[in-house]
Amino acid sequence: MSETEIGFEPPYLHPDYKSTILRAPRAALLRLPEEWFHRAPGPAFGRVTVSGGDADLTRQHRGEPLGERIVVTGRVLDSDGRPLPHTLVEVWQANAAGRYVDPGDDHSAPLDANFTGAGRCLTDAEGRYSFVSIKPGAYPWGNHANAWRPARIHFSLFGAELGSRLVTQMYFPGDPLLPFDPILQSIPDQRGRDLLVAAFDWETTKPNWALGYRWDIALRGRNSTPWEA
Amino acid sequence: MARTAPTPSQTVGPFFGFALPFAGDSEAAPSGQGELRIEGQVLDGAGTPVPDALLELWQGEQFARCATDPEGAFHFTASKPAPMPGPGGTVQAPHFNLTIFARGLLRQLQTRIYFPGETAANSADWVLARVEPERRPTLIARAEPGALRFDIRLQGEGETVFFAL
């Protein structure tokens, strides 16, 4: 990581987010030379199967889920700003009421029989991904008194190199909870936090059907596959 | 070309279990014929099992995922990788890459699993040589009947060596 990027990444220990206190390593992480460690090929994710319907989270059940229908799209880029085609993007989220399907979620908000909240896709030749979903609700958690997490979609991406692997969360613009979220606020620099907030986008918005959000993702490392302009 | 600021990381959170696991996900060998079983436990700084971690094991064409169970335990089946070229004409001892995601980890942790019984190769390994000798054992699995054991201590005594990303 270059010095200019330091403020854009969260630290391991961020006491405001209580779960980091016993899970953050104490010893300094061992730094290996970037050119052969971070740039070594990343995991081959081909065993994770992706089918066309996996990118539409509103059509995985008999009926349509309740909530505000959304399209979330953007490009996955490498650190030089070049598109990353054919990389795996996995997403998961709470339903419109803020409840996760996960059996560990004890939030009292209702489940939606027509919504699981998990999807996958591969980026296309221009590095583009696109998901159809519903806008997730805010989510209460036990980190501190009256703690609420902002609406968000979890993203997992692979990329080309060991250093490219990214798990993160996409937030929605104008969410009043953003300044109070210790997980987002763990990123020291406001410009880094801003990179996790999608933009409302008229071009993606579909008349009489869904609001559109645009969110580009830049992975560390360089696209190792041939790319033609 | 101008550098693009990388998108920052955020925790995987506790609720990935309905989304990221897939059928047969803990078998790393593409054929499913891995002869090795690797098992272990993820522990926090208080020695408490971490029941909501997601681990990814990979090397070459092998890739596997395993979510820890309520006891913080995980297991993989895999094939032993071959030695591979290291920096400066050195040879790296056989090892797997292991990535750890969890609630409370704002970024993933990256480590390696080396093999017991590879004393010569491990002593010549460029990466292990850069680890303080007393911490090297945290990167080397232990041989147990029918399995290799690799526990991950996120913090404190016996803390696993992690590599900066």
Side-chain angles (χ1 to χ4, degrees):
Chain A
M1 187 168 24
S2 78
E3 277 182 46
T4 54
E5 292 165 11
I6 287 171
F8 286 35
E9 282 295 348
Y12 285 100
L13 179 63
H14 183 67
D16 287 352
Y17 173 27
K18 285 196 180 144
S19 301
T20 66
I21 294 172
L22 282 173
R23 295 186 172 188
R26 285 200 191 126
L29 273 53
L30 184 65
R31 178 158 295 281
L32 298 173
E34 240 180 69
E35 61 277 13
W36 74 271
F37 182 71
H38 299 79
R39 292 186 192 153
F45 54 79
R47 290 181 54 235
V48 186
T49 54
V50 181
S51 55
D54 290 351
D56 189 340
L57 284 67
T58 69
R59 295 187 183 277
Q60 297 174 344
H61 297 275
R62 187 170 296 199
E64 285 208 69
L66 289 171
E68 186 181 313
R69 206 183 282 126
I70 58 172
V71 176
V72 178
T73 188
R75 291 206 308 163
V76 181
L77 307 167
D78 73 5
S79 57
D80 290 330
R82 295 188 300 184
L84 276 167
H86 201 73
T87 196
L88 179 63
V89 184
E90 296 169 281
V91 295
W92 68 104
Q93 63 168 89
N95 69 22
R99 175 82 183 266
Y100 285 89
V101 163
D102 194 284
D105 183 4
D106 56 5
H107 180 22
S108 61
L111 286 166
D112 183 339
N114 290 315
F115 192 71
T116 299
R120 288 177 180 144
C121 76
L122 291 169
T123 57
D124 69 12
E126 280 81 46
R128 225 169 279 284
Y129 72 88
S130 184
F131 290 100
V132 177
S133 190
I134 49 93
K135 190 173 177 188
Y139 175 84
W141 60 316
N143 189 70
H144 54 276
N146 204 10
W148 289 82
R149 294 226 57 220
R152 66 205 181 279
I153 299 179
H154 299 259
F155 275 71
S156 164
L157 296 106
F158 280 81
E161 304 177 357
L162 180 148
S164 310
R165 184 82 178 89
L166 176 70
V167 167
T168 190
Q169 303 181 26
M170 183 207 92
Y171 301 93
F172 290 85
D175 190 324
L177 294 169
L178 296 179
F180 306 102
D181 181 45
I183 293 182
L184 176 61
Q185 297 299 323
S186 69
I187 298 166
D189 192 308
Q190 180 66 45
R191 292 168 299 174
R193 301 194 286 270
D194 290 346
L195 292 175
L196 296 183
V197 182
F200 169 69
D201 184 36
W202 278 115
E203 276 184 43
T204 308
T205 297
K206 304 258 193 284
N208 303 315
W209 195 69
L211 291 185
Y213 292 89
R214 176 167 291 277
W215 188 53
D216 290 341
I217 302 159
L219 302 182
R220 289 168 195 286
R222 294 197 168 82
N223 183 359
S224 59
T225 56
W227 179 74
E228 289 167 30
Chain B
M1 207 178 291
R3 275 181 68 80
T4 306
T7 304
S9 172
Q10 297 271 267
T11 178
V12 75
F15 300 134
F16 54 78
F18 64 97
L20 297 181
F22 57 92
D25 60 1
S26 65
E27 294 168 17
S31 56
Q33 299 296 306
E35 76 283 2
L36 274 177
R37 182 179 165 92
I38 300 166
E39 56 188 34
Q41 201 181 17
V42 184
L43 302 164
D44 72 9
T48 306
V50 174
D52 46 13
L54 181 77
L55 280 67
E56 288 180 351
L57 176 99
W58 50 277
Q59 187 58 272
E61 292 304 304
Q62 298 193 73
F63 171 72
R65 242 180 209 171
C66 188
T68 54
D69 71 10
E71 279 73 50
F74 65 88
H75 66 91
F76 293 106
T77 55
S79 292
K80 185 171 176 177
M84 65 204 75
T90 61
V91 175
Q92 298 190 66
H95 66 273
F96 284 107
N97 296 300
L98 186 69
T99 311
I100 301 134
F101 302 93
R103 172 176 67 84
L105 287 182
L106 285 160
R107 305 178 67 187
Q108 70 262 42
L109 289 169
Q110 191 70 42
T111 188
R112 287 180 164 199
I113 303 178
Y114 285 88
F115 290 81
E118 289 279 354
T119 317
N122 288 346
S123 346
D125 185 84
W126 196 90
V127 171
L128 282 176
R130 264 140 199 87
V131 176
E132 302 157 74
E134 62 276 17
R135 297 190 71 201
R136 271 176 214 158
T138 72
L139 297 180
I140 301 169
R142 282 186 290 123
E144 289 194 346
L148 291 178
R149 175 97 193 170
F150 189 83
D151 292 327
I152 296 152
R153 291 181 177 78
L154 297 179
Q155 183 190 87
E157 191 169 347
E159 182 174 308
T160 303
V161 170
F162 301 108
F163 302 106
L165 286 170

